[in-house]
Amino acid sequence: MTDLPTSARIVIIGGGIIGCSVAYHLGKMGLTDTILLERKKLTSGTTFHAAGLVGQLRTSANITQLLGYSVDLYKRLEAETGLQTGWKMNGGLRLACNEQRWIEVKRQATTAHSFGLEMHLLTPKEAQDLWPLMTIDDLVGAAYLPTDGQANPSDITMSLAKGARMAGVTIREDTPVTRILIENGRVKGVQTPEGTIACEKVVICAGQWTRTLAATVGVNVPLVSVEHQYMVTEAIPGVTSTLPTLRDPDRLTYWKEEVGGLVWGGYEPNPKPWARDGIPEGFHFELLTADFDHYEQFMDNAIARVPALSTAGVKQLINGPESFTPDGNFILGEAPEQRGIFIGAGFNAFGIASGGGAGMALAEWVAKDAAPFDLWPVDIRRFGAVHRSTDWVRTRTVEAYGKHYTIAWPSEEMRSARPTRRSPLYAHLQAAGACFGEKLGWERPNWFAGPGEEPVDRYSYTRPGWFGAVAREHHAARNTAVLIDQTSFAKFVLQGPDAAAALNWIAAGNVDRAVGSLTYTQMLNARGGIECDLTVVRLAHDRFYIVTGTGFATHDCDWIARNIPAGLNVQLMDVTSSYAVLSLMGPKAREILQSVTPNDMRNDAHPFATAREISISGCTVRALRVTYVGELGWELHLPVDMAVTVYEALMAAGAGHGLVNAGYRAIETLRLEKGYRAWGSDIGPDHTPVEAGLAWAVKMKSGLPFLGREAIAAQLAQGVKKRLATFTVADPQVILLGRETIYRNGERVGWLSSGGYGHTIGLPIGMGYVRHKDGVTEDFIWAMCGTRTG
C-alpha cells in the first residue's frame, strides 16, 4: 500500500489491546487526526495469547476505578461496534488456605468496600457452591467479587479497533516504525518503510518491544520479557459457562472456564526470563516451546485443588512471553526524558483487565498533556537512574514475578539487586545493627536491632517483628535525640537570573524570601492538586536548593522543569549524589550539635525555617532547621566525602545525651503522631492544600500569581467535598495499615490513606479523607466524634 498519510497529530505504535484502546478513546475525544501503526497484525505481539482474566481490585483507589472502567467498557463495547468481545461477568473468587492469607483477604475485602466495590467474604462451603469442582479441605475462607469476569483478548482488541475506525482514527497493519524522529528536542515524526509521518506526539504501546524502541530516543522504560505458561484442557464434566474466575494464590494458580474446559496457569517462584539478547526479528503470532518440566511444579497443587484435572485431556500448554516490570505495576505517562513521547506498556499479564481504563487514562494524558487524575502507582516517573540497567531491571522483575501470588506483607521489602546505591555511612550503620530497606536503588536504614536482636524483617499482619525496635527509636526522638541517615533525599539546585521568578510561579508558597530562608511548600497542578511536597532553601539571590523525597526524584525534577515559564533564564540540576544528609532530631539535638560546632545554635541565632552553613569537625555543613518528626532538629547536608567524619563526631558527642541511630520506620510513626502528610498517600495530585489542611502554606494573601491559584481561590470561596482528618482507635491492639473504611453515623465516607501506631500516645493512628457530596466542613468532621475536643 502507498496511501500512508504524510502527517498526523498523534502516532500510536503498537496494535495490541493497549494501543487499540488509546486509539479508541482518542477517537471518542474527537482527536481523529491519529494513526495507529502495527508492525505486523493487530494482537500479534502478546495480546493474542493472554489468558483474559479481568479482576478489578488493587491497593490504589484510582487504579481500582481504572480497572472498573475496563469492566464498564467491555459490557457495552459489543453493542457499540457489533463485534463480540467474549466479555462475561461471571465474578471472581480468591481463596485463602491459612490464617495469614485469610487476614490478607479480609483486608482486601475492606479495601474493596472502601473503594466502592462489592466483595463478599465466604465460608469454604459457600465458595464450593460457586465452584463445585474444587476441594475445600484446606480452605479457611474465600472472597467473591461479583463484577469481575473474563474476556477474549483478541475479540476485545478487534472491537476497540473497530470503534476507533468508526470514530475516524486510521489503523495500519504491516507498517513497522523504524525510527522516531526528534529535532531540537521536539518530536517531529516517525519513519516507516513506506515513508515518514510527521507528527506532534508519539504513543508507544509496543508491549515487550517498548523498552528497546523507547531507548532509541533516550527514554527509559523498565520492563523485560518473562515466559508465562498456562494450560487449556478438553471439556470437563461439571464445568459450566457460569463458573467464576478463580485465584488460588497459596497454590500459585488461577483458573477460568473456556468452552466447557479450563484454562489454568500460575506464577512460579522461579520464572524464566526470555529474550536476554533481544526479541527475534519478525516474532509475531508466535508462542514459545512449551516447557512441561518447568510447568510440572504446579501440577500437584492444581490436582489437589481440582481433582478432575487428573483425568482431563490437555489441548495445549501455551507458553507466551509477557512484559513485566520491577514493581509489578504497569507504566503510563509522558516520558520525563523527552516531551511528546508517551508510554503505555509493562502490563504484567493483566493487560486485558487494565486495557480499557489504561487506554482511557493515557488518551486523556496525550490529549491534555496532563494525567486525568492521580496515577502515581503506574506513573513512568516513579523510576530513576537505577532502572536504566537492564540487568538490574531483569533481576528485580524476576523477583516481582515470583511474588505475584505470595502474601503481600505490610512494609515488605524486595531482596534482589541489592545493594546498589549506598550512603557513605552504610558500613557504619550496618555495624550498628541497621536493617536496611530500599528505595529507588538506595539502601536506607529502616530500623536498628538492639542487643540480642537480629536485623532481619519479620513480617506480619499483626505487630511486625520490628515493632519494639521502632518503639525504642520513636521514644528516643521524643525524649532524647536520634540521628537518621537520609542521604537518599532527592536534591536539586535551581539557579539563574530568573530563578526566583520561575520558582515562585511553580511553588504555591512564597519562596522569594531572604537568603537563608527555608520554605516548606507544595507545587500544584492547574486543578490545585498537589504535585510536589518539598522544602526550598534560598542560597543566594539567584540560587535555590530543593529537597524532596527519595522516590520522587524523577517526578519532581520533571514537574519543575516542565513548568518553568518560557523565556526565563534558569538551569535545574540534580545534585542528589553530591550531598549526604544526616537528620539530628529530638529535645537534646541543640545540645549535641552545639558541642561539635563553634557556631551559635541558639534559637535566636538559628530560628526555625532557616538554613546556614556551620562547621562540624572542620567540615562545612549546610544546616536546615526543619523537622518531619515534630521535634527540635536539623537536617545536615554536606559533601559525601565528609559524611563519616561528621557522623562519628555527632555520635561521640551524643553518647552522653542518649543519642541513638534511627530509621525510616520510626520516621513514619513519628510523623503520624504529628499529623504530617506523606505525598503519594495522604496528599497528591487529587488533593488540594485546602482539602489537606495545608492552605496555611499557600501564598493566597500575597496576591502573587502561581500555578493552581484559581483553583485554590475557588475552593476557599465555595468549600470542599473532602477533608483530611486524623483518627485514633481506643484499642491499642487494633492494626491500622491504610485503606480501612471511615464511617460517619453508619455511612461510608472515605478510607484511611495511611495508618500506623503512635508509640508516644500508645494508640493506632490513621489519616484519611472524609468525603461528602454536599461538602465537608470542620463541624461535619467533628460531628463524627460526638464532642469537639480541640
Side-chain angles (χ1 to χ4, degrees), residues 29-346:
M29 296 171 70
L31 297 176
T32 56
D33 190 10
T34 296
I35 183 168
L36 183 152
L37 303 177
E38 164 55 45
R39 65 187 186 95
K40 295 293 184 179
K41 301 295 182 183
L42 298 183
T43 80
S44 66
T46 59
T47 297
F48 81 96
H49 61 70
L53 279 71
V54 178
Q56 300 167 79
L57 183 61
R58 295 294 183 271
T59 56
S60 158
N62 281 357
I63 304 305
T64 295
Q65 290 166 12
L66 185 148
L67 270 60
Y69 174 89
S70 292
V71 168
D72 292 338
L73 176 63
Y74 300 162
K75 286 180 185 176
R76 55 183 163 83
L77 195 58
E78 182 176 337
E80 178 185 334
T81 66
L83 293 183
Q84 292 186 351
T85 62
W87 166 247
K88 185 165 53 176
M89 196 171 75
N90 48 347
L93 274 171
R94 179 175 286 263
L95 307 182
C97 300
N98 57 68
E99 289 300 329
Q100 287 295 319
R101 178 74 74 178
W102 184 229
I103 295 174
E104 180 187 49
V105 168
K106 288 189 289 185
R107 283 193 166 273
Q108 288 170 341
T110 296
T111 298
H113 186 65
S114 292
F115 297 169
L117 268 182
E118 182 183 356
M119 189 173 188
H120 305 284
L121 293 174
L122 307 180
T123 65
K125 182 61 172 65
E126 289 171 331
Q128 189 180 47
D129 290 343
L130 290 172
W131 229 90
L133 281 78
M134 71 173 171
T135 61
I136 58 172
D137 294 346
D138 62 333
L139 286 194
V140 178
Y144 177 60
L145 277 86
T147 56
D148 277 1
Q150 61 190 69
N152 183 302
S154 293
D155 287 350
I156 279 189
T157 304
M158 292 302 183
S159 189
L160 287 167
K162 183 176 180 181
R165 290 189 180 104
M166 289 167 62
V169 172
T170 302
I171 295 178
R172 286 290 303 271
E173 297 180 302
D174 299 310
T175 309
V177 170
T178 56
R179 185 182 176 196
I180 299 172
L181 303 175
I182 307 291
E183 292 182 13
N184 298 320
R186 298 176 64 87
V187 173
K188 286 298 183 181
V190 299
Q191 284 184 350
T192 79
E194 297 179 34
T196 297
I197 304 174
C199 65
E200 300 172 10
K201 299 176 180 180
V202 172
V203 189
I204 307 178
C205 302
Q208 60 185 341
W209 290 267
T210 300
R211 181 170 175 84
T212 300
L213 178 58
T216 64
V217 289
V219 172
N220 183 41
V221 184
L223 57 81
V224 293
S225 301
V226 179
E227 296 185 20
H228 184 71
Q229 297 192 104
Y230 63 84
M231 183 173 285
V232 184
T233 75
E234 301 283 357
I236 297 175
V239 173
T240 66
S241 62
T242 58
L243 271 186
T245 61
L246 178 69
R247 292 171 177 82
D248 188 358
D250 291 312
R251 293 180 182 271
L252 306 179
T253 52
Y254 61 82
W255 309 74
K256 76 163 190 173
E257 178 274 339
E258 184 171 291
V259 198
L262 291 172
V263 169
W264 72 277
Y267 290 87
E268 64 274 29
N270 57 335
K272 297 173 61 178
W274 183 70
R276 289 178 180 270
D277 299 321
I279 299 170
E281 186 72 24
F283 187 87
H284 75 290
F285 278 137
E286 291 183 56
L287 296 172
L288 308 180
T289 302
D291 189 340
F292 283 90
D293 290 340
H294 192 72
Y295 198 73
E296 187 178 13
Q297 62 188 292
F298 295 123
M299 292 304 300
D300 288 344
N301 277 337
I303 292 172
R305 176 66 67 219
V306 184
L309 191 66
S310 63
T311 56
V314 176
K315 283 185 179 179
Q316 190 176 12
L317 179 61
I318 292 176
N319 186 3
E322 297 269 6
S323 59
F324 288 80
T325 66
D327 62 3
N329 284 323
F330 54 88
I331 302 171
L332 290 184
E334 186 173 14
E337 303 94 339
Q338 177 59 59
R339 298 288 176 266
I341 299 290
F342 293 80
I343 304 296

Side-chain angles (χ1 to χ4, degrees), residues 13 418 568 649:
I13 303 173
R418 295 178 58 187
L568 296 191

Side-chain angles (χ1 to χ4, degrees), residues 311-477:
T311 56
V314 176
K315 283 185 179 179
Q316 190 176 12
L317 179 61
I318 292 176
N319 186 3
E322 297 269 6
S323 59
F324 288 80
T325 66
D327 62 3
N329 284 323
F330 54 88
I331 302 171
L332 290 184
E334 186 173 14
E337 303 94 339
Q338 177 59 59
R339 298 288 176 266
I341 299 290
F342 293 80
I343 304 296
F347 281 84
N348 302 280
F350 61 94
I352 309 308
S354 311
M360 173 273 292
L362 187 54
E364 289 202 27
W365 205 331
V366 171
K368 300 175 183 178
D369 290 316
F373 42 79
D374 183 5
L375 290 167
W376 177 241
V378 299
D379 193 314
I380 191 171
R381 293 169 294 179
R382 72 188 188 271
F383 298 114
V386 69
H387 297 98
R388 290 191 171 276
S389 166
T390 300
D391 288 341
W392 195 100
V393 169
R394 182 179 291 111
T395 300
R396 177 59 58 84
T397 300
V398 164
E399 181 185 8
Y401 178 106
K403 286 187 169 184
H404 190 88
Y405 274 162
T406 60
I407 293 176
W409 299 109
S411 303
E412 185 176 9
E413 294 282 351
M414 303 293 273
R415 295 175 177 271
S416 60
R418 295 178 58 187
T420 301
R421 305 176 77 181
R422 283 182 277 186
S423 155
L425 299 172
Y426 180 83
H428 282 68
L429 302 181
Q430 190 174 44
C435 182
F436 291 95
E438 179 264 336
K439 178 79 72 172
L440 219 63
W442 282 99
E443 293 295 315
R444 312 191 310 174
N446 275 341
W447 59 277
F448 287 81
E453 296 175 345
E454 280 188 296
V456 176
D457 281 332
R458 292 179 175 84
Y459 300 112
S460 174
Y461 270 102
T462 56
R463 287 188 170 176
W466 57 83
F467 186 86
V470 170
R472 290 195 304 266
E473 297 168 23
H474 182 112
H475 288 304

Side-chain angles (χ1 to χ4, degrees), residues 312-649:
V314 176
K315 283 185 179 179
Q316 190 176 12
L317 179 61
I318 292 176
N319 186 3
E322 297 269 6
S323 59
F324 288 80
T325 66
D327 62 3
N329 284 323
F330 54 88
I331 302 171
L332 290 184
E334 186 173 14
E337 303 94 339
Q338 177 59 59
R339 298 288 176 266
I341 299 290
F342 293 80
I343 304 296
F347 281 84
N348 302 280
F350 61 94
I352 309 308
S354 311
M360 173 273 292
L362 187 54
E364 289 202 27
W365 205 331
V366 171
K368 300 175 183 178
D369 290 316
F373 42 79
D374 183 5
L375 290 167
W376 177 241
V378 299
D379 193 314
I380 191 171
R381 293 169 294 179
R382 72 188 188 271
F383 298 114
V386 69
H387 297 98
R388 290 191 171 276
S389 166
T390 300
D391 288 341
W392 195 100
V393 169
R394 182 179 291 111
T395 300
R396 177 59 58 84
T397 300
V398 164
E399 181 185 8
Y401 178 106
K403 286 187 169 184
H404 190 88
Y405 274 162
T406 60
I407 293 176
W409 299 109
S411 303
E412 185 176 9
E413 294 282 351
M414 303 293 273
R415 295 175 177 271
S416 60
R418 295 178 58 187
T420 301
R421 305 176 77 181
R422 283 182 277 186
S423 155
L425 299 172
Y426 180 83
H428 282 68
L429 302 181
Q430 190 174 44
C435 182
F436 291 95
E438 179 264 336
K439 178 79 72 172
L440 219 63
W442 282 99
E443 293 295 315
R444 312 191 310 174
N446 275 341
W447 59 277
F448 287 81
E453 296 175 345
E454 280 188 296
V456 176
D457 281 332
R458 292 179 175 84
Y459 300 112
S460 174
Y461 270 102
T462 56
R463 287 188 170 176
W466 57 83
F467 186 86
V470 170
R472 290 195 304 266
E473 297 168 23
H474 182 112
H475 288 304
R478 291 279 184 255
N479 299 305
T480 55
V482 296
L483 193 60
I484 310 169
D485 180 8
Q486 296 194 271
T487 297
S488 65
F489 269 154
K491 302 168 282 279
F492 314 114
V493 169
L494 185 75
Q495 65 182 22
D498 299 321
L503 198 52
N504 227 26
W505 163 253
I506 304 169
N510 185 12
V511 300
D512 193 3
R513 300 161 59 199
V515 172
S517 64
L518 182 153
T519 305
Y520 165 64
T521 185
Q522 291 77 47
M523 294 177 172
L524 312 181
N525 56 41
R527 304 187 303 272
I530 300 170
E531 292 286 350
C532 309
D533 182 66
L534 39 72
T535 55
V536 176
V537 177
R538 189 163 201 171
L539 301 179
H541 175 73
D542 60 352
R543 185 176 173 87
F544 293 84
Y545 182 68
I546 302 168
V547 184
T548 190
T550 305
F552 315 136
T554 303
H555 175 278
D556 288 7
C557 186
D558 177 70
W559 184 262
I560 295 168
R562 71 168 54 237
N563 285 291
I564 295 171
L568 296 191
N569 184 359
V570 293
Q571 298 82 44
L572 179 65
M573 297 174 289
D574 186 333
V575 296
T576 298
S577 296
S578 298
Y579 294 95
V581 180
L582 290 172
S583 293
L584 177 65
M585 301 286 161
K588 300 291 187 181
R590 179 177 282 115
E591 294 175 51
I592 295 169
L593 191 55
Q594 189 65 79
S595 70
V596 296
T597 180
N599 302 91
D600 187 352
M601 303 311 297
R602 290 177 298 178
N603 189 62
D604 289 346
H606 195 163
F608 186 75
T610 62
R612 63 178 176 147
E613 288 191 349
I614 64 173
S615 177
I616 300 176
S617 295
C619 301
T620 300
V621 176
R622 182 177 298 150
L624 280 58
R625 176 86 185 277
V626 65
T627 181
Y628 190 54
V629 301
E631 299 294 338
L632 171 70
W634 284 263
E635 286 177 12
L636 305 174
H637 294 240
L638 63 159
V640 293
D641 55 356
M642 298 178 179
V644 170
T645 298
V646 172
Y647 172 82
E648 291 175 343

